[in-house]
Amino acid sequence: MLIGDAAGSADPRHWLGTCLFFCDVRQLSELLRADRDWRSAIGEFAVQRRRYYEVIRERDRWECELKFGNGEAADRAREGHKQAALDDPALGGFDLLEARGRTPDVL
């Protein structure tokens, strides 16, 4: 069984590997301690894990489409994103904090 981002196909550019690894370890160990039927616990772990990894994969898909998408819809999305960044300098959120190491108001 794989755990961490190696098992979930998360985009490694977002540096989630260690965080996801520890999340998986905590989740799986809690399930194994709570259920004497380890096959059942592992099955439940797979269901829960799929749920939270889907959020990460959806964000990866969205970012890929935003950066590399073709056509009018992709162009509109990029323009909307650009305008949102002008309206809200904190749009980068945690990605911006991680990249710059400080809050957006001191950029």
Side-chain angles (χ1 to χ4, degrees), residues 14-103:
H14 299 296
W15 301 91
L16 295 174
T18 303
C19 176
L20 292 171
F21 169 76
F22 284 119
C23 181
D24 285 354
V25 167
R26 180 190 53 81
Q27 197 81 5
L28 182 57
S29 64
E30 287 175 1
L31 288 166
L32 290 172
R33 281 193 311 254
D35 192 342
R36 294 182 64 78
D37 179 2
W38 281 20
R39 287 184 193 267
S40 172
I42 290 170
E44 178 59 26
F45 171 70
V47 169
Q48 291 180 16
R49 189 172 192 290
R50 197 173 304 116
R51 205 173 295 137
Y52 60 82
Y53 267 74
E54 186 53 38
V55 173
I56 294 166
R57 286 191 296 270
E58 184 58 34
R59 186 226 186 255
D60 289 348
R61 283 190 289 272
W62 174 83
E63 183 184 38
C64 185
E65 182 60 31
L66 185 66
K67 287 183 177 181
F68 306 112
N70 292 315
E72 291 180 31
D75 291 340
R76 280 193 307 275
R78 280 188 284 276
E79 284 304 314
H81 189 266
K82 228 183 272 182
Q83 185 59 50
L86 292 172
D87 294 343
D88 181 3
L91 182 67
F94 291 115
D95 287 345
L96 183 61
L97 290 173
E98 199 170 275
R100 302 286 173 98
R102 55 185 180 245
T103 57

